[in-house]
Amino acid sequence: MEVNTSRTLPAPYVFGLTLLCFALIARCYSAFPPAGTNSDGVFIITHLITLLYFFSCWIGGFLKPWEGRRKVMSVFVVLLLTDAYTVNESIRVFESSSTWSAVMLIFICANILAFGFFERWPEWVKYLQCAVLGFTLLLPFYLAFYLLPVYLVSLIGLLAIGLSIVTFSPIFLLWFNFRMVRKLVWPVRSYRLTYLWSGAVAALAVILYMMAYANDKSKMEHAYTKSNIAVTEELPPWISAAQEAGTGFITAQLLKTDIVYTSPGVQSGFNLWDMPDREFGERRTHDPLFMTAGAFLGTITIPEEDRLKMLNVMFDKRHYTVDRYWTGKDLVTTGVSTTANIWPQYHLAYTENIYTVKNIPKRRWSSSEEAIYTFHLPEGAVVTSLSLWINNREEKAILTTQAKATEAYSEIVGRQQRDPSVVHWQEGNRVVVRVFPVLQNEERKFKIGITSPLKVQHGKLVYQPVWFEGPAHEDAHYEVKLNMDKWPGELSYPGGFYSDKGKTVGKTGKYDADWELTMRNEATDNAAFSFNGQRYTLLPYQPSYELFVPENYYLDVNNSWSYDDYREIISQLNNKKVWMFHPRKGMMAVKEDNKQSLFNELHDQRFSLFPFYKITNPATALVISASDNISPQLSDLDTSAFRNSLRRFLSHEKIRLYNISNTLSPYLATLKESRSLVYENGTKDQLLAQLRNNSFLRQEEDSNQLIMEDAQIRIARSMDRTQADGPDHLARLFAYNSILKELGPKVAGEDLSSDTALINTAKAAYVVTPLSSLIVLETQADYDKFKISDDVNSLKNASLKGHGAVPEPHEWALFIIAVAILAYVRFEKLFKRKRSAC
């Protein structure tokens, strides 16, 4: 055993530590380059440092058989590993390390350096080093085996430039490990046992991971393949797999196979053209555990497109699966400015958000990027304006059909690479905004305006900001300014906000949309707005109830139900006709002998898709549901027999649905928003009370009255040309909700461009809907080419300054005549003087 009794550190060791510090700085710079910098060539620095130390030690004669040799070797091994991972940032051999393996490598390096002082440590530290040495042994074994195919080429490369020496860094790790075991660990029995037991623990962890991998993989694949049973073939097979999939991180890894996590047999490396791809907000990752499990147990057999759909549903990854014309990896959101007009007396708000996005290149060849933002709107909100700054000038959008907007944007971005921006409606209170191009080291700015009802919650009015997914925004500058023309009482705003003498509420700092403004629930003032010969009147809304005695009760059971709630509801419905839908057994009557087993089987589902079209006598049926925010959207089911049957059924039937949870699945939320359901929400106890009294919500909406129950308001439409000074947002909200109501179950997933009447309604109100989009093009010639024109008699883009009635066409004529008369009176005398002078 080497014994180092000298307290003086050897010079080559100190020299090596100094070089290692510089190499680690370079490594951090290559992994996390500062904004606007390129780190492609940094690996040359670390490699020169490694070669310098190599030649200093071996050729310079530093490594004579002395007692400081172990310290010097430990520095060299760590330096070589640092060099290897820095080179890998530019010349990809494998993708970025998983978090756990990166942490493990840090422990390995620290332990290697600490072994230079093994004899000096207290006894407990020696045991800890032995444990770390054993526990981390498998990782260098894996790396050495993974790099086995490149060793022959690396040997040839050694004779050329010496760069390929980095591929042998795992071999050096193993060599140092075994050398420390032979010299320091194995001779002492207690050290030896610690080393072996820790290695066994690591092996056990690998085995347990592989068992979990096999279980999750088998479960999803089995659910996917068994979906060809007659009952479930109405839905695509990925639905069954998503319903029965687990919730753990291994399930997520399996679904992200070759999307985020590389698998055996897939070559990773440098992508020359760097075309747009899906990254789910994560770096491509090389996980040794995942690779090992895939090599021994096989990779998941579910096709990638179906796995993408499962990710959308299970992990809400819709923003990352949208089609991209150009990559947006180098884009950063640098600024967000929010200005809102809030009318507490009307339970309404209009918000304008201005976003600044910058292209900060790292190591990319392309000069253009496409910015894609997914905005999450408050419930019931609608986009009513869009602007794009072109040549430092704000250009407002024109509202057209979604089909025309998509065609224009696709052709211009894909072929001409000029200036468009577009916003499209999405299910789930979302919209997607695209902006192109964002050039290298330049900024683009766009504005989106949202009209939204104020939610009434716990007796308070609540204003909620828009939040988004898109280019990185953690360090974006954030400014908020909220204006109210009638200041409410009991105003409560979060920390960091200020109040300007009761006129505005604001904030300045880093971007953070996780806040809300609450205020006293003001009594709704009557307000009205006139447009196109119609008057839109705002009125308060309080739900009313009617006698309703269901003949059949349907329980939509899934993982969101608790057994206690189920048991109490079943008890209340004793001797009633109660049904539950089983995906593989069909609609089943709930009886004493199957109520427990049915619940257990259905409770295992992460979500449910209740087939309303299988209900008999829908006029006397009540569906009781509970759900969370996980489920497919209607558009995900567009080509399925399930969707076609649902569309036909709900086109002429409405079903009463009572939701006993605080959330609503995307599937049910879209049906609710499109008025395909008579929806009611309450607690389990409230439901039980209503079941006893047979008292349920009265349906009060019709073609001339629409209700926004969360805001406790309703908007009534009447034929009236009388001027009114209410906000034009009344007409916009009525039009938006009226379109959704008319579309009903057709609201998403199919081409609706032929519905001329509804498109004209959207154009007049200037609202983004399933049929209509706002688009900004660079020139008038672009608008003419795609036959996109503005409707003269429309509300145009909403504005913070816009408030009150829009003159009718005959009123414009009267206004012009009045101006002409005033001009004549004003200049009549002047004309007479000139004639008399002549």
Side-chain angles (χ1 to χ4, degrees):
M1 181 187 300
E2 279 186 34
V3 178
N4 187 359
T5 58
S6 173
R7 294 289 177 178
T8 303
L9 296 177
Y13 177 69
V14 176
F15 178 61
L17 286 179
T18 305
L19 293 179
L20 179 59
C21 289
F22 286 110
L24 290 174
I25 293 173
R27 170 74 185 104
C28 293
Y29 184 90
S30 68
F32 310 102
T37 62
N38 190 308
S39 62
D40 279 344
V42 173
F43 73 92
I44 297 175
I45 297 173
T46 60
H47 194 61
L48 289 176
I49 289 173
T50 304
L51 291 179
L52 173 62
Y53 195 58
F54 174 81
F55 288 114
S56 298
C57 293
W58 270 265
I59 298 178
F62 282 173
L63 286 182
K64 295 176 182 177
W66 60 359
E67 51 195 29
R69 180 170 56 187
R70 193 196 322 151
K71 294 185 179 67
V72 176
M73 281 303 302
S74 67
V75 173
F76 176 75
V77 171
V78 174
L79 193 57
L80 184 63
L81 186 67
T82 303
D83 185 21
Y85 276 89
T86 307
V87 171
N88 189 65
E89 288 289 334
S90 299
I91 305 173
R92 289 284 183 185
V93 177
F94 44 80
E95 300 293 348
S96 301
S97 299
S98 59
T99 301
W100 74 263
S101 61
V103 172
M104 189 81 77
L105 286 171
I106 293 172
F107 275 105
I108 289 174
C109 292
N111 200 40
I112 287 173
L113 293 174
F115 260 104
F117 305 89
F118 186 79
E119 294 82 4
R120 299 184 185 180
W121 298 121
E123 200 65 21
W124 69 269
V125 176
K126 295 178 182 179
Y127 283 111
L128 179 62
Q129 283 195 261
C130 295
V132 172
L133 199 65
F135 189 77
T136 59
L137 176 63
L138 291 177
L139 183 56
F141 254 123
Y142 167 83
L143 294 173
F145 184 81
Y146 180 81
L147 295 173
L148 195 60
V150 304
Y151 284 152
L152 181 59
V153 177
S154 297
L155 286 172
I156 298 172
L158 281 175
L159 302 176
I161 59 175
L163 185 63
S164 59
I165 190 176
V166 298
T167 61
F168 295 97
S169 56
I171 301 294
F172 279 89
L173 288 178
L174 289 173
W175 170 81
F176 192 88
N177 185 299
F178 292 140
R179 182 176 175 81
M180 294 304 99
V181 170
R182 183 172 64 87
K183 294 281 188 179
L184 301 175
V185 177
W186 207 259
V188 181
R189 184 175 181 275
S190 57
Y191 295 168
R192 181 169 68 246
L193 290 176
T194 302
Y195 175 79
L196 293 175
W197 274 109
S198 60
V201 170
L204 179 62
V206 173
I207 293 171
L208 291 175
Y209 176 89
M210 293 178 68
M211 291 173 62
Y213 176 99
N215 178 68
D216 286 5
K217 175 175 174 290
S218 174
K219 190 175 182 180
M220 281 193 290
E221 290 177 341
H222 179 65
Y224 186 85
T225 55
K226 74 182 179 184
S227 63
N228 58 1
I229 300 174
V231 175
T232 58
E233 63 183 12
E234 296 176 333
L235 288 166
W238 65 267
I239 295 288
S240 296
Q243 283 178 314
E244 299 187 21
T247 58
F249 71 96
I250 296 179
T251 297
Q253 285 183 314
L254 285 164
L255 293 176
K256 296 175 185 177
T257 300
D258 298 329
I259 301 170
V260 172
Y261 294 95
T262 53
S263 65
V266 175
Q267 296 296 323
S268 59
F270 179 63
N271 182 359
L272 178 61
W273 301 109
D274 205 15
M275 295 303 289
D277 57 7
R278 300 179 174 105
E279 290 214 354
F280 290 85
E282 304 173 43
R283 300 180 69 177
R284 295 272 295 185
T285 301
H286 182 110
D287 189 316
L289 278 175
F290 185 75
M291 290 285 286
T292 302
F296 282 99
L297 302 171
T299 57
I300 193 166
T301 58
I302 299 176
E304 181 176 311
E305 285 306 310
D306 282 349
R307 285 189 281 113
L308 288 172
K309 294 173 183 176
M310 293 173 67
L311 283 165
N312 284 343
V313 171
M314 298 166 59
F315 299 97
D316 195 18
K317 294 293 184 180
R318 297 182 186 278
H319 172 75
Y320 302 98
T321 58
V322 297
D323 293 329
R324 298 174 185 270
Y325 299 99
W326 293 84
T327 181
K329 297 178 183 177
D330 291 338
L331 298 181
V332 176
T333 304
T334 57
V336 179
S337 176
T338 296
T339 306
N341 285 342
I342 301 175
W343 297 280
Q345 70 275 28
Y346 301 147
H347 291 203
L348 294 177
Y350 172 68
T351 306
E352 285 188 349
N353 293 307
I354 299 176
Y355 299 88
T356 305
V357 57
K358 186 174 183 179
N359 184 346
I360 303 177
K362 296 173 184 173
R363 34 177 95 85
R364 316 186 66 78
W365 68 274
S366 174
S367 61
S368 301
E369 300 277 11
E370 179 189 25
I372 299 179
Y373 287 78
T374 297
F375 291 97
H376 297 256
L377 312 182
E379 186 172 353
V382 56
V383 172
T384 49
S385 71
L386 176 71
S387 297
L388 176 68
W389 271 256
I390 301 175
N391 297 324
N392 295 319
R393 178 180 174 181
E394 180 184 359
E395 300 291 344
K396 293 186 178 295
I398 292 179
L399 192 125
T400 186
T401 66
Q402 190 177 97
K404 280 187 179 181
T406 300
E407 179 189 6
Y409 184 87
S410 301
E411 181 170 330
I412 292 176
V413 171
R415 299 179 185 178
Q416 303 174 29
Q417 301 181 27
R418 290 188 288 112
D419 282 320
S421 179
V422 68
V423 54
H424 290 308
W425 181 91
Q426 301 285 308
E427 288 181 73
N429 296 304
R430 307 183 194 199
V431 294
V432 172
V433 174
R434 295 174 180 265
V435 176
F436 183 86
V438 186
L439 303 178
Q440 281 193 3
N441 297 311
E442 292 188 7
E443 290 184 336
R444 295 303 303 268
K445 187 163 64 172
F446 70 95
K447 178 175 71 178
I448 183 172
I450 299 103
T451 298
S452 58
L454 297 179
K455 186 176 183 179
V456 178
Q457 190 174 42
H458 306 304
K460 299 280 188 178
L461 273 181
V462 181
Y463 171 84
Q464 297 172 318
V466 173
W467 64 277
F468 71 89
E469 297 172 272
H473 50 269
E474 292 78 10
D475 296 323
H477 180 69
Y478 191 34
E479 292 184 2
V480 180
K481 186 177 181 181
L482 309 177
N483 305 309
M484 303 185 198
D485 58 358
K486 184 177 181 181
W487 205 252
E490 302 174 19
L491 185 66
S492 175
Y493 43 85
F497 276 70
Y498 63 86
S499 176
D500 181 16
K501 296 180 180 179
K503 296 181 179 179
T504 62
V505 170
K507 175 185 178 179
T508 302
K510 283 190 176 182
Y511 177 76
D512 178 13
D514 186 16
W515 58 271
E516 61 183 23
L517 193 74
T518 62
M519 62 204 82
R520 185 172 59 209
N521 183 8
E522 299 281 349
T524 307
D525 291 349
N526 289 346
F529 174 76
S530 296
F531 175 65
N532 277 352
Q534 293 180 323
R535 184 182 183 90
Y536 300 90
T537 305
L538 178 70
L539 299 167
Y541 168 72
Q542 287 296 328
S544 61
Y545 295 85
E546 64 183 359
L547 180 68
F548 174 70
V549 183
E551 290 183 5
N552 292 279
Y553 300 83
Y554 296 84
L555 305 187
D556 181 21
V557 175
N558 52 55
N559 189 253
S560 297
W561 282 68
S562 71
Y563 182 72
D564 287 341
D565 288 350
Y566 171 76
R567 180 175 50 80
E568 289 187 49
I569 292 172
I570 287 290
S571 177
Q572 179 73 37
L573 299 178
N574 189 31
N575 298 322
K576 302 288 180 66
K577 295 179 181 178
V578 182
W579 305 83
M580 293 167 68
F581 179 76
H582 194 291
R584 293 186 297 278
K585 301 175 183 177
M587 196 69 74
M588 301 185 67
V590 179
K591 301 177 181 178
E592 190 63 32
D593 60 348
N594 70 356
K595 65 180 183 180
Q596 180 69 58
S597 59
L598 260 180
F599 177 84
N600 292 339
E601 291 181 38
L602 296 177
H603 188 260
D604 289 338
Q605 296 183 124
R606 294 194 66 187
F607 60 85
S608 56
L609 292 174
F610 191 84
F612 294 98
Y613 55 87
K614 292 184 180 291
I615 291 177
T616 56
N617 299 322
T620 58
L622 175 66
V623 179
I624 302 171
S625 178
S627 60
D628 58 15
N629 57 358
I630 294 178
S631 83
Q633 295 181 346
L634 282 184
S635 55
D636 297 328
L637 313 171
D638 197 43
T639 59
S640 67
F642 179 96
R643 177 70 196 279
N644 292 331
S645 299
L646 186 71
R647 185 184 292 118
R648 287 192 299 269
F649 177 80
L650 292 179
S651 294
H652 59 273
E653 298 285 358
K654 281 194 175 184
I655 300 295
R656 284 187 175 271
L657 183 137
Y658 200 106
N659 177 29
I660 60 172
S661 58
N662 294 324
T663 55
L664 198 58
S665 70
Y667 165 66
L668 294 177
T670 302
L671 293 178
K672 173 203 170 190
E673 190 177 28
S674 61
R675 275 70 173 180
S676 298
L677 304 172
V678 180
Y679 177 81
E680 193 168 354
N681 177 231
T683 65
K684 176 259 300 177
D685 291 333
Q686 288 173 327
L687 170 64
L688 294 176
Q690 290 180 239
L691 288 172
R692 286 190 292 269
N693 299 325
N694 291 318
S695 175
F696 290 90
L697 188 69
R698 185 189 303 276
Q699 180 72 1
E700 298 184 68
E701 285 192 328
D702 55 37
S703 60
N704 289 314
Q705 179 173 258
L706 294 174
I707 294 169
M708 280 140 270
E709 65 274 9
D710 286 342
Q712 295 182 0
I713 58 173
R714 55 193 173 104
I715 302 176
R717 179 178 61 182
S718 59
M719 301 298 293
D720 189 349
R721 295 182 180 274
T722 305
Q723 286 295 289
D725 60 358
D728 59 16
H729 303 287
L730 297 176
R732 299 181 194 270
L733 282 174
F734 187 93
Y736 175 67
N737 285 278
S738 176
I739 290 170
L740 294 183
K741 181 176 181 292
E742 289 298 317
L743 289 175
K746 300 184 298 182
V747 70
E750 61 178 20
D751 183 13
L752 303 169
S753 57
S754 60
D755 201 327
T756 305
L758 293 183
I759 290 172
N760 289 338
T761 300
K763 284 186 174 181
Y766 249 66
V767 288
V768 174
T769 70
L771 309 95
S772 56
S773 298
L774 284 166
I775 187 168
V776 181
L777 300 179
E778 188 173 0
T779 66
Q780 184 58 46
D782 291 328
Y783 290 111
D784 295 339
K785 177 181 178 180
F786 296 102
K787 299 180 181 179
I788 297 174
S789 59
D790 208 355
D791 191 340
V792 175
N793 191 31
S794 68
L795 291 177
K796 302 294 190 295
N797 283 274
S799 169
L800 290 169
K801 298 179 181 179
H803 183 82
V806 174
E808 301 286 348
H810 68 278
E811 292 168 339
W812 280 113
L814 292 174
F815 177 74
I816 293 171
I817 292 172
V819 171
I821 293 173
L822 289 174
Y824 176 78
V825 172
R826 172 68 178 82
F827 295 106
E828 180 187 15
K829 294 182 179 179
L830 180 62
F831 293 150
K832 288 182 178 179
R833 288 173 185 170
K834 288 185 177 181
R835 282 198 297 268
S836 61
C838 294

